[in-house]
Amino acid sequence: LLPNTAGCYNAEDAVRTCQLARELLNGHKLVKLEVLGDPKTLFPHVTQTLIAAEILVADGFDVMVYTSDDPLIAKQLEQIGCVAVMPLASPIGSGLGIQNKWNLLEIIDNAKVPVLIDAGVGTASDATIAMELGCHGVLMNTAIASAKNPILMASAMRKAIEAGREAYLAGR
């Protein structure tokens, strides 16, 4: 299980959600921190995310954090002690794919923790690109859940992830 603070719009609610999850799950420490700033785009509220991350890490949580694709913020979250940085490729549910490869490459090239794409993947080619850039993984929901054939899309995504990772490992 991975407790997630999706739907939280401030640090206080996100921290409380994680603490309640830890109580309900007998001390489970791994959480996904997601503090939203805008209900339309679901962009992360970066300042509230930084505050919540500091509190949660100090409280003993292992924090995987949803964030913008800003390399400086990603580095700051890593320095706080987050165990994974999860930048968006484009807005949650948009399916627009990777909009800023340069920012993602900067994050990946400078991170000492896993980098997972956490939003915006629309189809298999987007997942392949993320993995070819060097991401450690891709989270997805809408691309599969909204597909005309979700099982076939999930199969395509699996193959895309594998192909992208192999291409990354093979080098250019």
Side-chain angles (χ1 to χ4, degrees), residues 88-122:
L88 52 78
S90 57
I92 293 174
S94 70
L96 293 173
I98 296 172
Q99 294 297 303
N100 195 333
K101 288 181 191 178
W102 186 88
N103 278 21
L104 293 177
L105 276 172
E106 283 296 305
I107 292 170
I108 293 162
D109 289 347
N110 292 296
K112 293 178 178 55
V113 298
V115 176
L116 312 165
I117 294 297
D118 188 13
V121 171

PDB file of all heavy atoms in Angstrom, residues 88-122:
ATOM      1  N   LEU A  88       6.121  16.088 -12.879  1.00  0.00           N
ATOM      2  CA  LEU A  88       5.118  15.897 -13.916  1.00  0.00           C
ATOM      3  C   LEU A  88       5.762  16.063 -15.289  1.00  0.00           C
ATOM      4  O   LEU A  88       6.739  16.792 -15.435  1.00  0.00           O
ATOM      5  CB  LEU A  88       3.953  16.870 -13.747  1.00  0.00           C
ATOM      6  CG  LEU A  88       4.218  18.368 -13.616  1.00  0.00           C
ATOM      7  CD1 LEU A  88       4.511  19.022 -14.944  1.00  0.00           C
ATOM      8  CD2 LEU A  88       3.043  19.038 -12.962  1.00  0.00           C
ATOM      9  N   ALA A  89       5.231  15.350 -16.264  1.00  0.00           N
ATOM     10  CA  ALA A  89       5.657  15.525 -17.653  1.00  0.00           C
ATOM     11  C   ALA A  89       4.781  16.579 -18.313  1.00  0.00           C
ATOM     12  O   ALA A  89       5.218  17.324 -19.183  1.00  0.00           O
ATOM     13  CB  ALA A  89       5.564  14.209 -18.412  1.00  0.00           C
ATOM     14  N   SER A  90       3.536  16.625 -17.875  1.00  0.00           N
ATOM     15  CA  SER A  90       2.530  17.605 -18.260  1.00  0.00           C
ATOM     16  C   SER A  90       1.391  17.452 -17.241  1.00  0.00           C
ATOM     17  O   SER A  90       1.457  16.560 -16.392  1.00  0.00           O
ATOM     18  CB  SER A  90       2.062  17.375 -19.706  1.00  0.00           C
ATOM     19  OG  SER A  90       1.555  16.082 -19.901  1.00  0.00           O
ATOM     20  N   PRO A  91       0.373  18.291 -17.285  1.00  0.00           N
ATOM     21  CA  PRO A  91      -0.652  18.225 -16.237  1.00  0.00           C
ATOM     22  C   PRO A  91      -1.281  16.838 -16.077  1.00  0.00           C
ATOM     23  O   PRO A  91      -1.451  16.097 -17.053  1.00  0.00           O
ATOM     24  CB  PRO A  91      -1.697  19.252 -16.707  1.00  0.00           C
ATOM     25  CG  PRO A  91      -0.891  20.249 -17.477  1.00  0.00           C
ATOM     26  CD  PRO A  91       0.148  19.421 -18.195  1.00  0.00           C
ATOM     27  N   ILE A  92      -1.634  16.512 -14.831  1.00  0.00           N
ATOM     28  CA  ILE A  92      -2.266  15.242 -14.501  1.00  0.00           C
ATOM     29  C   ILE A  92      -3.489  15.036 -15.387  1.00  0.00           C
ATOM     30  O   ILE A  92      -4.322  15.929 -15.531  1.00  0.00           O
ATOM     31  CB  ILE A  92      -2.686  15.207 -13.017  1.00  0.00           C
ATOM     32  CG1 ILE A  92      -1.462  15.202 -12.101  1.00  0.00           C
ATOM     33  CG2 ILE A  92      -3.578  14.001 -12.724  1.00  0.00           C
ATOM     34  CD1 ILE A  92      -1.789  15.310 -10.624  1.00  0.00           C
ATOM     35  N   GLY A  93      -3.566  13.866 -15.974  1.00  0.00           N
ATOM     36  CA  GLY A  93      -4.730  13.505 -16.779  1.00  0.00           C
ATOM     37  C   GLY A  93      -4.790  14.118 -18.160  1.00  0.00           C
ATOM     38  O   GLY A  93      -5.709  13.841 -18.921  1.00  0.00           O
ATOM     39  N   SER A  94      -3.798  14.942 -18.508  1.00  0.00           N
ATOM     40  CA  SER A  94      -3.852  15.638 -19.791  1.00  0.00           C
ATOM     41  C   SER A  94      -3.464  14.738 -20.960  1.00  0.00           C
ATOM     42  O   SER A  94      -3.905  14.953 -22.087  1.00  0.00           O
ATOM     43  CB  SER A  94      -2.935  16.866 -19.782  1.00  0.00           C
ATOM     44  OG  SER A  94      -1.572  16.466 -19.766  1.00  0.00           O
ATOM     45  N   GLY A  95      -2.598  13.779 -20.706  1.00  0.00           N
ATOM     46  CA  GLY A  95      -2.127  12.919 -21.780  1.00  0.00           C
ATOM     47  C   GLY A  95      -1.271  13.639 -22.804  1.00  0.00           C
ATOM     48  O   GLY A  95      -1.056  13.140 -23.906  1.00  0.00           O
ATOM     49  N   LEU A  96      -0.750  14.797 -22.445  1.00  0.00           N
ATOM     50  CA  LEU A  96       0.040  15.601 -23.382  1.00  0.00           C
ATOM     51  C   LEU A  96       1.470  15.103 -23.550  1.00  0.00           C
ATOM     52  O   LEU A  96       2.198  15.598 -24.398  1.00  0.00           O
ATOM     53  CB  LEU A  96       0.056  17.066 -22.930  1.00  0.00           C
ATOM     54  CG  LEU A  96      -1.287  17.783 -23.004  1.00  0.00           C
ATOM     55  CD1 LEU A  96      -1.183  19.162 -22.373  1.00  0.00           C
ATOM     56  CD2 LEU A  96      -1.767  17.882 -24.444  1.00  0.00           C
ATOM     57  N   GLY A  97       1.887  14.156 -22.737  1.00  0.00           N
ATOM     58  CA  GLY A  97       3.237  13.626 -22.851  1.00  0.00           C
ATOM     59  C   GLY A  97       4.272  14.565 -22.252  1.00  0.00           C
ATOM     60  O   GLY A  97       3.958  15.530 -21.563  1.00  0.00           O
ATOM     61  N   ILE A  98       5.513  14.270 -22.538  1.00  0.00           N
ATOM     62  CA  ILE A  98       6.627  15.039 -21.982  1.00  0.00           C
ATOM     63  C   ILE A  98       6.745  16.365 -22.719  1.00  0.00           C
ATOM     64  O   ILE A  98       7.004  16.402 -23.915  1.00  0.00           O
ATOM     65  CB  ILE A  98       7.929  14.236 -22.062  1.00  0.00           C
ATOM     66  CG1 ILE A  98       7.796  12.998 -21.171  1.00  0.00           C
ATOM     67  CG2 ILE A  98       9.130  15.082 -21.664  1.00  0.00           C
ATOM     68  CD1 ILE A  98       8.914  12.011 -21.295  1.00  0.00           C
ATOM     69  N   GLN A  99       6.556  17.441 -21.984  1.00  0.00           N
ATOM     70  CA  GLN A  99       6.560  18.771 -22.578  1.00  0.00           C
ATOM     71  C   GLN A  99       7.899  19.481 -22.469  1.00  0.00           C
ATOM     72  O   GLN A  99       8.150  20.421 -23.194  1.00  0.00           O
ATOM     73  CB  GLN A  99       5.460  19.635 -21.934  1.00  0.00           C
ATOM     74  CG  GLN A  99       4.066  19.139 -22.244  1.00  0.00           C
ATOM     75  CD  GLN A  99       3.766  19.201 -23.729  1.00  0.00           C
ATOM     76  OE1 GLN A  99       3.843  20.257 -24.347  1.00  0.00           O
ATOM     77  NE2 GLN A  99       3.447  18.061 -24.320  1.00  0.00           N
ATOM     78  N   ASN A 100       8.748  19.053 -21.539  1.00  0.00           N
ATOM     79  CA  ASN A 100      10.025  19.725 -21.362  1.00  0.00           C
ATOM     80  C   ASN A 100      11.120  18.707 -21.064  1.00  0.00           C
ATOM     81  O   ASN A 100      11.488  18.485 -19.911  1.00  0.00           O
ATOM     82  CB  ASN A 100       9.928  20.764 -20.241  1.00  0.00           C
ATOM     83  CG  ASN A 100      11.078  21.726 -20.265  1.00  0.00           C
ATOM     84  OD1 ASN A 100      12.181  21.404 -20.729  1.00  0.00           O
ATOM     85  ND2 ASN A 100      10.867  22.917 -19.747  1.00  0.00           N
ATOM     86  N   LYS A 101      11.640  18.092 -22.108  1.00  0.00           N
ATOM     87  CA  LYS A 101      12.687  17.073 -21.943  1.00  0.00           C
ATOM     88  C   LYS A 101      13.912  17.636 -21.238  1.00  0.00           C
ATOM     89  O   LYS A 101      14.548  16.947 -20.443  1.00  0.00           O
ATOM     90  CB  LYS A 101      13.102  16.511 -23.302  1.00  0.00           C
ATOM     91  CG  LYS A 101      12.086  15.630 -23.943  1.00  0.00           C
ATOM     92  CD  LYS A 101      12.630  15.122 -25.275  1.00  0.00           C
ATOM     93  CE  LYS A 101      11.555  14.446 -26.075  1.00  0.00           C
ATOM     94  NZ  LYS A 101      12.038  14.004 -27.370  1.00  0.00           N
ATOM     95  N   TRP A 102      14.257  18.879 -21.542  1.00  0.00           N
ATOM     96  CA  TRP A 102      15.468  19.462 -20.963  1.00  0.00           C
ATOM     97  C   TRP A 102      15.373  19.495 -19.444  1.00  0.00           C
ATOM     98  O   TRP A 102      16.322  19.108 -18.752  1.00  0.00           O
ATOM     99  CB  TRP A 102      15.714  20.867 -21.518  1.00  0.00           C
ATOM    100  CG  TRP A 102      17.014  21.415 -21.052  1.00  0.00           C
ATOM    101  CD1 TRP A 102      18.229  21.259 -21.644  1.00  0.00           C
ATOM    102  CD2 TRP A 102      17.249  22.180 -19.861  1.00  0.00           C
ATOM    103  NE1 TRP A 102      19.213  21.880 -20.904  1.00  0.00           N
ATOM    104  CE2 TRP A 102      18.633  22.461 -19.795  1.00  0.00           C
ATOM    105  CE3 TRP A 102      16.435  22.658 -18.837  1.00  0.00           C
ATOM    106  CZ2 TRP A 102      19.200  23.180 -18.768  1.00  0.00           C
ATOM    107  CZ3 TRP A 102      17.011  23.385 -17.803  1.00  0.00           C
ATOM    108  CH2 TRP A 102      18.378  23.636 -17.783  1.00  0.00           C
ATOM    109  N   ASN A 103      14.245  19.970 -18.906  1.00  0.00           N
ATOM    110  CA  ASN A 103      14.103  20.017 -17.449  1.00  0.00           C
ATOM    111  C   ASN A 103      14.197  18.625 -16.847  1.00  0.00           C
ATOM    112  O   ASN A 103      14.860  18.421 -15.827  1.00  0.00           O
ATOM    113  CB  ASN A 103      12.771  20.656 -17.052  1.00  0.00           C
ATOM    114  CG  ASN A 103      12.823  22.159 -17.078  1.00  0.00           C
ATOM    115  OD1 ASN A 103      13.679  22.760 -17.723  1.00  0.00           O
ATOM    116  ND2 ASN A 103      11.886  22.785 -16.392  1.00  0.00           N
ATOM    117  N   LEU A 104      13.527  17.666 -17.468  1.00  0.00           N
ATOM    118  CA  LEU A 104      13.571  16.301 -16.938  1.00  0.00           C
ATOM    119  C   LEU A 104      14.983  15.734 -16.980  1.00  0.00           C
ATOM    120  O   LEU A 104      15.421  15.074 -16.033  1.00  0.00           O
ATOM    121  CB  LEU A 104      12.601  15.403 -17.701  1.00  0.00           C
ATOM    122  CG  LEU A 104      11.124  15.738 -17.492  1.00  0.00           C
ATOM    123  CD1 LEU A 104      10.254  14.849 -18.354  1.00  0.00           C
ATOM    124  CD2 LEU A 104      10.740  15.648 -16.030  1.00  0.00           C
ATOM    125  N   LEU A 105      15.702  15.995 -18.059  1.00  0.00           N
ATOM    126  CA  LEU A 105      17.092  15.535 -18.139  1.00  0.00           C
ATOM    127  C   LEU A 105      17.944  16.162 -17.041  1.00  0.00           C
ATOM    128  O   LEU A 105      18.795  15.489 -16.451  1.00  0.00           O
ATOM    129  CB  LEU A 105      17.688  15.848 -19.508  1.00  0.00           C
ATOM    130  CG  LEU A 105      17.387  14.840 -20.603  1.00  0.00           C
ATOM    131  CD1 LEU A 105      17.875  15.354 -21.954  1.00  0.00           C
ATOM    132  CD2 LEU A 105      18.016  13.498 -20.289  1.00  0.00           C
ATOM    133  N   GLU A 106      17.739  17.423 -16.774  1.00  0.00           N
ATOM    134  CA  GLU A 106      18.476  18.086 -15.692  1.00  0.00           C
ATOM    135  C   GLU A 106      18.186  17.429 -14.349  1.00  0.00           C
ATOM    136  O   GLU A 106      19.091  17.213 -13.544  1.00  0.00           O
ATOM    137  CB  GLU A 106      18.139  19.579 -15.627  1.00  0.00           C
ATOM    138  CG  GLU A 106      18.810  20.414 -16.683  1.00  0.00           C
ATOM    139  CD  GLU A 106      20.326  20.403 -16.530  1.00  0.00           C
ATOM    140  OE1 GLU A 106      20.839  20.730 -15.443  1.00  0.00           O
ATOM    141  OE2 GLU A 106      21.007  20.045 -17.513  1.00  0.00           O
ATOM    142  N   ILE A 107      16.919  17.117 -14.117  1.00  0.00           N
ATOM    143  CA  ILE A 107      16.546  16.457 -12.860  1.00  0.00           C
ATOM    144  C   ILE A 107      17.207  15.082 -12.784  1.00  0.00           C
ATOM    145  O   ILE A 107      17.847  14.736 -11.789  1.00  0.00           O
ATOM    146  CB  ILE A 107      15.016  16.350 -12.733  1.00  0.00           C
ATOM    147  CG1 ILE A 107      14.402  17.747 -12.562  1.00  0.00           C
ATOM    148  CG2 ILE A 107      14.632  15.447 -11.566  1.00  0.00           C
ATOM    149  CD1 ILE A 107      12.894  17.789 -12.669  1.00  0.00           C
ATOM    150  N   ILE A 108      17.056  14.295 -13.842  1.00  0.00           N
ATOM    151  CA  ILE A 108      17.592  12.930 -13.869  1.00  0.00           C
ATOM    152  C   ILE A 108      19.107  12.932 -13.720  1.00  0.00           C
ATOM    153  O   ILE A 108      19.674  12.170 -12.924  1.00  0.00           O
ATOM    154  CB  ILE A 108      17.175  12.228 -15.172  1.00  0.00           C
ATOM    155  CG1 ILE A 108      15.660  12.020 -15.193  1.00  0.00           C
ATOM    156  CG2 ILE A 108      17.915  10.908 -15.347  1.00  0.00           C
ATOM    157  CD1 ILE A 108      15.101  11.738 -16.577  1.00  0.00           C
ATOM    158  N   ASP A 109      19.780  13.790 -14.483  1.00  0.00           N
ATOM    159  CA  ASP A 109      21.247  13.813 -14.473  1.00  0.00           C
ATOM    160  C   ASP A 109      21.830  14.235 -13.127  1.00  0.00           C
ATOM    161  O   ASP A 109      22.968  13.893 -12.817  1.00  0.00           O
ATOM    162  CB  ASP A 109      21.777  14.743 -15.573  1.00  0.00           C
ATOM    163  CG  ASP A 109      21.578  14.176 -16.966  1.00  0.00           C
ATOM    164  OD1 ASP A 109      21.263  12.966 -17.095  1.00  0.00           O
ATOM    165  OD2 ASP A 109      21.727  14.945 -17.937  1.00  0.00           O
ATOM    166  N   ASN A 110      21.075  14.974 -12.340  1.00  0.00           N
ATOM    167  CA  ASN A 110      21.606  15.486 -11.078  1.00  0.00           C
ATOM    168  C   ASN A 110      21.041  14.799  -9.843  1.00  0.00           C
ATOM    169  O   ASN A 110      21.486  15.080  -8.734  1.00  0.00           O
ATOM    170  CB  ASN A 110      21.357  16.994 -10.997  1.00  0.00           C
ATOM    171  CG  ASN A 110      22.187  17.728 -12.029  1.00  0.00           C
ATOM    172  OD1 ASN A 110      23.410  17.714 -11.964  1.00  0.00           O
ATOM    173  ND2 ASN A 110      21.534  18.328 -13.012  1.00  0.00           N
ATOM    174  N   ALA A 111      20.085  13.919 -10.032  1.00  0.00           N
ATOM    175  CA  ALA A 111      19.447  13.268  -8.883  1.00  0.00           C
ATOM    176  C   ALA A 111      20.261  12.086  -8.384  1.00  0.00           C
ATOM    177  O   ALA A 111      20.855  11.351  -9.168  1.00  0.00           O
ATOM    178  CB  ALA A 111      18.042  12.810  -9.270  1.00  0.00           C
ATOM    179  N   LYS A 112      20.247  11.921  -7.074  1.00  0.00           N
ATOM    180  CA  LYS A 112      20.860  10.753  -6.446  1.00  0.00           C
ATOM    181  C   LYS A 112      19.774   9.817  -5.910  1.00  0.00           C
ATOM    182  O   LYS A 112      20.078   8.838  -5.239  1.00  0.00           O
ATOM    183  CB  LYS A 112      21.804  11.192  -5.339  1.00  0.00           C
ATOM    184  CG  LYS A 112      23.025  11.941  -5.869  1.00  0.00           C
ATOM    185  CD  LYS A 112      23.922  12.409  -4.744  1.00  0.00           C
ATOM    186  CE  LYS A 112      25.164  13.107  -5.233  1.00  0.00           C
ATOM    187  NZ  LYS A 112      24.951  14.220  -6.125  1.00  0.00           N
ATOM    188  N   VAL A 113      18.530  10.159  -6.182  1.00  0.00           N
ATOM    189  CA  VAL A 113      17.378   9.334  -5.806  1.00  0.00           C
ATOM    190  C   VAL A 113      16.619   8.982  -7.082  1.00  0.00           C
ATOM    191  O   VAL A 113      16.799   9.633  -8.119  1.00  0.00           O
ATOM    192  CB  VAL A 113      16.448  10.076  -4.809  1.00  0.00           C
ATOM    193  CG1 VAL A 113      17.184  10.381  -3.503  1.00  0.00           C
ATOM    194  CG2 VAL A 113      15.868  11.341  -5.416  1.00  0.00           C
ATOM    195  N   PRO A 114      15.764   7.970  -7.036  1.00  0.00           N
ATOM    196  CA  PRO A 114      14.974   7.641  -8.224  1.00  0.00           C
ATOM    197  C   PRO A 114      14.095   8.800  -8.686  1.00  0.00           C
ATOM    198  O   PRO A 114      13.566   9.562  -7.874  1.00  0.00           O
ATOM    199  CB  PRO A 114      14.114   6.458  -7.759  1.00  0.00           C
ATOM    200  CG  PRO A 114      14.885   5.848  -6.633  1.00  0.00           C
ATOM    201  CD  PRO A 114      15.560   7.010  -5.947  1.00  0.00           C
ATOM    202  N   VAL A 115      13.965   8.907 -10.007  1.00  0.00           N
ATOM    203  CA  VAL A 115      13.102   9.914 -10.629  1.00  0.00           C
ATOM    204  C   VAL A 115      12.006   9.159 -11.376  1.00  0.00           C
ATOM    205  O   VAL A 115      12.293   8.317 -12.229  1.00  0.00           O
ATOM    206  CB  VAL A 115      13.892  10.819 -11.601  1.00  0.00           C
ATOM    207  CG1 VAL A 115      12.960  11.799 -12.304  1.00  0.00           C
ATOM    208  CG2 VAL A 115      14.997  11.561 -10.868  1.00  0.00           C
ATOM    209  N   LEU A 116      10.763   9.460 -11.032  1.00  0.00           N
ATOM    210  CA  LEU A 116       9.605   8.814 -11.635  1.00  0.00           C
ATOM    211  C   LEU A 116       8.708   9.876 -12.259  1.00  0.00           C
ATOM    212  O   LEU A 116       8.373  10.853 -11.591  1.00  0.00           O
ATOM    213  CB  LEU A 116       8.798   8.057 -10.573  1.00  0.00           C
ATOM    214  CG  LEU A 116       9.572   7.145  -9.636  1.00  0.00           C
ATOM    215  CD1 LEU A 116       8.738   6.772  -8.435  1.00  0.00           C
ATOM    216  CD2 LEU A 116      10.024   5.917 -10.386  1.00  0.00           C
ATOM    217  N   ILE A 117       8.322   9.692 -13.507  1.00  0.00           N
ATOM    218  CA  ILE A 117       7.355  10.618 -14.114  1.00  0.00           C
ATOM    219  C   ILE A 117       6.007  10.336 -13.477  1.00  0.00           C
ATOM    220  O   ILE A 117       5.564   9.192 -13.401  1.00  0.00           O
ATOM    221  CB  ILE A 117       7.291  10.438 -15.645  1.00  0.00           C
ATOM    222  CG1 ILE A 117       8.607  10.838 -16.290  1.00  0.00           C
ATOM    223  CG2 ILE A 117       6.123  11.236 -16.229  1.00  0.00           C
ATOM    224  CD1 ILE A 117       8.975  12.296 -16.120  1.00  0.00           C
ATOM    225  N   ASP A 118       5.330  11.395 -13.043  1.00  0.00           N
ATOM    226  CA  ASP A 118       4.111  11.209 -12.263  1.00  0.00           C
ATOM    227  C   ASP A 118       2.863  11.816 -12.893  1.00  0.00           C
ATOM    228  O   ASP A 118       1.826  11.826 -12.255  1.00  0.00           O
ATOM    229  CB  ASP A 118       4.317  11.776 -10.856  1.00  0.00           C
ATOM    230  CG  ASP A 118       3.171  11.437  -9.928  1.00  0.00           C
ATOM    231  OD1 ASP A 118       2.345  10.581 -10.287  1.00  0.00           O
ATOM    232  OD2 ASP A 118       3.085  12.020  -8.848  1.00  0.00           O
ATOM    233  N   ALA A 119       2.916  12.313 -14.075  1.00  0.00           N
ATOM    234  CA  ALA A 119       1.696  12.877 -14.654  1.00  0.00           C
ATOM    235  C   ALA A 119       1.918  13.207 -16.115  1.00  0.00           C
ATOM    236  O   ALA A 119       3.018  13.565 -16.523  1.00  0.00           O
ATOM    237  CB  ALA A 119       1.289  14.152 -13.908  1.00  0.00           C
ATOM    238  N   GLY A 120       0.842  13.087 -16.894  1.00  0.00           N
ATOM    239  CA  GLY A 120       0.854  13.555 -18.270  1.00  0.00           C
ATOM    240  C   GLY A 120       1.114  12.516 -19.335  1.00  0.00           C
ATOM    241  O   GLY A 120       1.008  12.809 -20.522  1.00  0.00           O
ATOM    242  N   VAL A 121       1.453  11.290 -18.939  1.00  0.00           N
ATOM    243  CA  VAL A 121       1.702  10.249 -19.929  1.00  0.00           C
ATOM    244  C   VAL A 121       0.374   9.896 -20.600  1.00  0.00           C
ATOM    245  O   VAL A 121      -0.604   9.589 -19.923  1.00  0.00           O
ATOM    246  CB  VAL A 121       2.323   9.000 -19.265  1.00  0.00           C
ATOM    247  CG1 VAL A 121       2.390   7.833 -20.232  1.00  0.00           C
ATOM    248  CG2 VAL A 121       3.706   9.345 -18.742  1.00  0.00           C
ATOM    249  N   GLY A 122       0.348   9.955 -21.931  1.00  0.00           N
ATOM    250  CA  GLY A 122      -0.892   9.706 -22.651  1.00  0.00           C
ATOM    251  C   GLY A 122      -0.908   8.399 -23.409  1.00  0.00           C
ATOM    252  O   GLY A 122      -1.953   7.787 -23.587  1.00  0.00           O
TER     253      GLY A 122
END
